[in-house]
Amino acid sequence: MSQAPIRALIFDVFGTLVDWRSSIAREARQLLQPLGHELDWEGFADAWRGEYQGAMEEVRSGRLAFQKLDRLHRRNLDIVLERLSLEGLDESTRQQLNLAWHRLDAWPDVGPGLQALRRHFLIAPCSNGNISLMVDLARRNGWHWDAILGAELARDYKPKAAVYLHAVAALDLHREQVMMVAAHSSDLEAASAAGLRTAHVARPDEAGPGRGESAPTVAVDYTAADLRDLASQL
């Protein structure tokens, strides 16, 4: 692989930078418990997230025209609520619940890690999340991006090559000057196939205890325990 200097880091967000499972469980509990509902809150988060890839595949395959992840999340929410016999929730509650994805908390290492990395590199999300979602997560968690890139601008969803290549083009860089940072080997494999450099960040408890990746399952340029470790390596 080319040894051209890395100029920019682009990041997966859900799971890599934010703890979606605990955050969604918390948000669902805060909204639904006062209405008299008692659920397995982490199980609810898992069920909602479980519809994620299938919904995006409808877009990636061309069966569904591109739409923002907020709209896909809402479609998936309605599916899960019906499955749990909670279809009686009013529209206002559904809207507030859908915006839970805008209120996710970062893993503890992310704030200082991004701050350290930004001293030396351009940094930007390259997420399947829409721009308003990325803006809200950045403001909530105190992140300072140089750009917001990803699916909404590319009008497609990862791991389609167009999403990574659109990010590279937006920064006016060459592929080998941009590194994709993610906790998911499938994301990194696709980015590498598109010509980008890659770094894996371990999130072993992303989907629950021991239900995340502690190490990559594909070849990558860097492996890191967290973002602070990645900053130290780079």
Side-chain angles (χ1 to χ4, degrees):
M1 182 172 285
S2 168
Q3 293 305 303
I6 297 168
R7 296 276 309 282
L9 307 180
I10 59 175
F11 295 82
D12 174 65
V13 174
F14 300 120
T16 302
L17 302 186
V18 293
D19 177 5
W20 59 264
R21 188 173 191 260
S22 297
S23 299
I24 291 296
R26 178 199 66 229
E27 293 290 322
R29 182 187 299 110
Q30 289 177 352
L31 280 166
L32 299 182
Q33 203 169 50
L35 300 178
H37 300 292
E38 289 296 339
L39 302 174
D40 171 358
W41 303 110
E42 286 77 17
F44 174 82
D46 292 339
W48 197 355
R49 178 72 173 181
E51 301 294 328
Y52 178 71
Q53 287 296 338
M56 289 189 300
E57 185 57 30
E58 291 290 300
V59 175
R60 291 190 291 248
S61 67
R63 292 190 295 270
L64 188 67
F66 180 82
Q67 51 190 265
K68 296 180 183 183
L69 188 61
D70 275 345
R71 291 188 62 188
L72 295 183
H73 273 155
R74 174 55 195 270
R75 188 177 92 159
N76 295 343
L77 173 62
D78 290 341
I79 291 171
V80 172
L81 291 177
E82 183 176 2
R83 186 184 304 154
L84 296 175
S85 300
L86 293 174
E87 60 267 36
L89 289 181
D90 64 29
E91 180 61 23
S92 176
T93 302
R94 289 170 186 256
Q95 290 178 8
Q96 283 300 309
L97 189 52
N98 201 49
L99 289 173
W101 294 95
H102 292 235
R103 300 187 293 268
L104 307 180
D105 291 338
W107 299 108
D109 61 282
V110 172
L114 288 179
Q115 186 175 10
L117 290 165
R118 192 168 183 258
R119 296 191 189 107
H120 303 283
F121 306 97
L122 298 173
I123 63 170
C126 185
S127 173
N128 285 327
N130 42 281
I131 293 171
S132 65
L133 200 167
M134 292 298 106
V135 168
D136 286 346
L137 290 182
R139 290 181 66 84
R140 178 180 180 85
N141 292 290
W143 303 335
H144 299 282
W145 297 121
D146 294 303
I148 293 180
L149 307 172
E152 185 175 352
L153 294 175
R155 310 296 291 178
D156 210 339
Y157 284 110
K158 295 186 299 176
K160 296 284 284 294
V163 184
Y164 310 105
L165 297 179
H166 190 283
V168 171
L171 296 172
D172 285 329
L173 295 174
H174 299 294
R175 302 178 192 192
E176 64 270 18
Q177 294 177 297
V178 179
M179 185 156 71
M180 182 72 200
V181 181
H184 311 118
S185 294
S186 58
D187 201 352
L188 297 174
E189 183 175 40
S192 179
L196 282 69
R197 311 279 276 277
T198 54
H200 183 273
V201 175
R203 297 295 183 205
D205 300 324
E206 176 196 348
R211 294 174 56 202
E213 291 189 18
S214 58
T217 59
V218 298
V220 297
D221 294 290
Y222 291 88
T223 60
D226 58 26
L227 287 195
R228 288 171 296 196
D229 180 30
L230 181 62
S232 296
Q233 292 186 52
L234 294 177

